Amino acid sequence: MRKFFITLACSFFGFSNAQEVKTISSLEGIEKTLKFLTADERKGREPGTPEMEQAMAYLEQIFIDYQVKPYYSSYRDRIGNYDKPSFNIVGVIEGIDPVLKNEIVVIGAHYDHIGMSSLLNGDAIANGANDNAVGTTAVTELVKYFAKAKNNKRTIVFALFTAEEKGLLGSYHMAEQMQKAHKDIYFMFNFEMIGVPMKNKEMLVYMTGITKSNMAKKMNDYAGEKWVGYIPVESHYQLFKHSDNYPFYKTCNIPAHTISTFDFENYEFYHHVDDEYEKMDIKHMQQVIDKSILALEQMINAPTKEIQLDGK
């Protein structure tokens, strides 16, 4: 099955067979978006600042370029739980199946960071490359893939959240809106801090709250390998509750998880002015993105809701 989907992806991008290409996403595209988001001109992407206008406009343009429609009346949805004007950026690709399109898959990441920090060696800009320009970049690559493929049976909502660093405010705002509108959300999948590979781990990524559903198992089954796993530090710090997956789990009672490769040993620049583009492993990011695409494609197109909360 995995070989079949890789072959489809290769054919779609103009290659005759799977042996001629090893990747789906674009290194050039990853580098371009990551460089823009982490540039000093963004001043650390703090919500409600003038510099966030530049980030929002850039992300909106990706949706426009790939003809992805706004989920709301525009791509920008102002959150109502923060004291400065701050916006989630949200696009949607409607499902092609007449029945399954009524079920929604939310794919997200937060694009904000902490802004300016204490001066260190002449630098006070916390650029937030690993936290979480890398996750935002991953979502934009998935936007490009599914916009071209046009094969998603279920509807995909791509959500780039603001004010995660202020307490998951953007994702709480959106989860509550969707719950009040009685949207049928199948699952939520979130990218967080995937810029540097883990050390001495058997799997490529770990998943937060891994025991709360069978999502990781299904993603491994699709790949024919264990690329999604568990690390004890995830439970120790209760990471499941500290990223944008959690509001969807708490509010909507659905499978909602984050994948990450930040293991508290492989990167020392969390919320630091040295969290810069140059420290990111672009090829590692591409590997995470491509494996996510192949797994999510099958999850989105499965005939039934095979991803289930534990105990259901």
Side-chain angles (χ1 to χ4, degrees), residues 161-174:
F161 301 110
T162 190
E164 189 267 0
E165 302 287 0
K166 306 296 183 181
L168 313 181
L169 300 185
S171 49
Y172 267 115
H173 170 86
M174 183 173 172

Side-chain angles (χ1 to χ4, degrees), residues 190-250:
N190 189 58
F191 291 94
E192 179 84 66
M193 301 183 73
I194 59 166
V196 180
M198 294 186 288
K199 297 179 179 179
N200 304 315
K201 303 293 192 300
E202 295 180 356
M203 64 281 189
L204 179 64
V205 304
Y206 68 89
M207 178 175 284
T208 66
I210 194 169
T211 61
K212 295 185 182 299
S213 83
N214 64 338
M215 186 183 292
K217 181 181 184 304
K218 295 301 296 185
M219 296 182 83
N220 289 333
D221 288 346
Y222 289 142
E225 62 177 316
K226 184 181 178 181
W227 70 281
V228 183
Y230 165 78
I231 59 175
V233 72
E234 184 273 331
S235 298
H236 178 75
Y237 288 105
Q238 296 189 325
L239 299 183
F240 179 70
K241 296 182 178 181
H242 293 289
S243 195
D244 290 307
N245 61 284
Y246 186 65
F248 287 87
Y249 171 81
K250 182 179 179 181

